[in-house]
Amino acid sequence: MPNDALTDVAESTLETRRGTFRAVAFRERSGGPEHLALVHGDPRPGQDVLVRVHSECLTGDVFDALRCDCGAQLSSALEAIVAEGTGVLVYLRGHEGRGIGLVAKVRTHVLQDEQGLDTVDSATALGLPVDVRDFGAAARVLRHLGVTSVRLLSNNGDKVDALTGHGVAVAARVPLLEPVTEQNVRYLTAKRDRLGHDLPHLDPVHRP
């Protein structure tokens, strides 16, 4: 298991429209990106804590872009954690476009719009990897918070494997299904067919 020491940690109270959280800003390593964990309630050792590990998506999370479901998932995850009464949302920066960065992601959007490529083929057409995200930082901050077993808000089995591989037990995967729209159906279909996400609400009606 990797060294759990985080390079830099700062904590404060964060009041939001959804509720009050303990904001834990941290770095996993010197020079690395700064991440944020939002802790609601009082997660305790031994609990299977409701957790969302969310990859940064500036266009979706901040500007409510309709081509992806990222912003909607972020909102739904926060609402679920508050409704639960306790839980953690880990927001991982440096994950834009599954790790390729913002400029490259916008370039993939051009190929998607002009050539009809999906989110996978538009990345590889530019010579970029499909997914280079590392979820080790999420595992480290969860253990820093005393969270060792989670119910993971995700449709992505790879996140389950990643957290498990970094020493955090996943007691259950909790689906986080957002409405299918004309704008996001191609993206969601690629997630299901190309990236293995469990999206049963796409079947059998919704096809690009």
Side-chain angles (χ1 to χ4, degrees), residues 6 16 21 27 30 37 56 58 91 93-94 109 124-125 132 154 159 166 180 192:
L6 299 173
T16 77
F21 296 84
R27 292 183 195 270
S30 179
E56 176 184 28
L58 181 68
Y91 193 89
R93 300 179 66 217
H109 289 173
T124 57
V132 290
S154 181
K159 281 188 181 179
H166 284 285
V180 181
R192 179 193 63 187

Side-chain angles (χ1 to χ4, degrees), residues 26-203:
F26 68 99
R27 292 183 195 270
E28 183 185 19
R29 62 185 183 278
S30 179
E34 298 172 316
H35 309 293
L36 183 69
L38 295 181
V39 184
H40 185 69
D42 185 23
R44 298 184 179 181
Q47 290 181 323
D48 297 329
V49 179
L50 188 64
V51 167
R52 168 68 178 171
V53 175
H54 191 87
S55 293
E56 176 184 28
C57 174
L58 181 68
T59 52
D61 299 341
V62 177
F63 299 113
D64 294 323
L66 298 178
R67 74 166 66 230
C68 68
D69 61 343
C70 303
Q73 284 191 315
L74 178 61
S75 180
S76 294
L78 287 169
E79 291 171 1
I81 287 168
V82 170
E84 178 87 359
T86 185
V88 181
L89 185 138
V90 183
Y91 193 89
L92 296 177
R93 300 179 66 217
H95 277 204
E96 192 76 55
R98 296 188 302 273
I100 63 175
L102 183 59
V103 171
K105 186 178 83 168
V106 171
R107 287 176 177 151
T108 69
H109 289 173
V110 175
L111 294 181
Q112 292 165 32
D113 294 341
E114 294 184 352
Q115 299 183 25
L117 301 182
D118 65 23
T119 185
V120 173
D121 288 338
S122 58
T124 57
L126 294 172
L128 300 169
V130 173
D131 193 341
V132 290
R133 292 174 295 175
D134 181 0
F135 295 100
R140 287 193 182 191
V141 77
L142 288 171
R143 288 195 297 270
H144 173 81
L145 297 169
V147 175
T148 57
S149 181
V150 306
R151 288 177 292 124
L152 186 66
L153 285 158
S154 181
N155 308 316
N156 184 358
D158 288 345
K159 281 188 181 179
V160 175
D161 295 340
L163 287 185
T164 301
H166 284 285
V168 174
V170 179
R173 184 180 59 78
V174 180
L176 196 59
L177 304 175
E178 300 302 328
V180 181
T181 67
E182 179 182 353
Q183 292 89 353
N184 70 21
V185 63
R186 284 200 305 158
Y187 175 78
L188 293 176
T189 301
K191 272 188 165 183
R192 179 193 63 187
D193 296 347
R194 307 295 303 279
L195 299 171
H197 291 217
D198 186 15
L199 298 170
H201 64 320
L202 278 172
D203 290 322

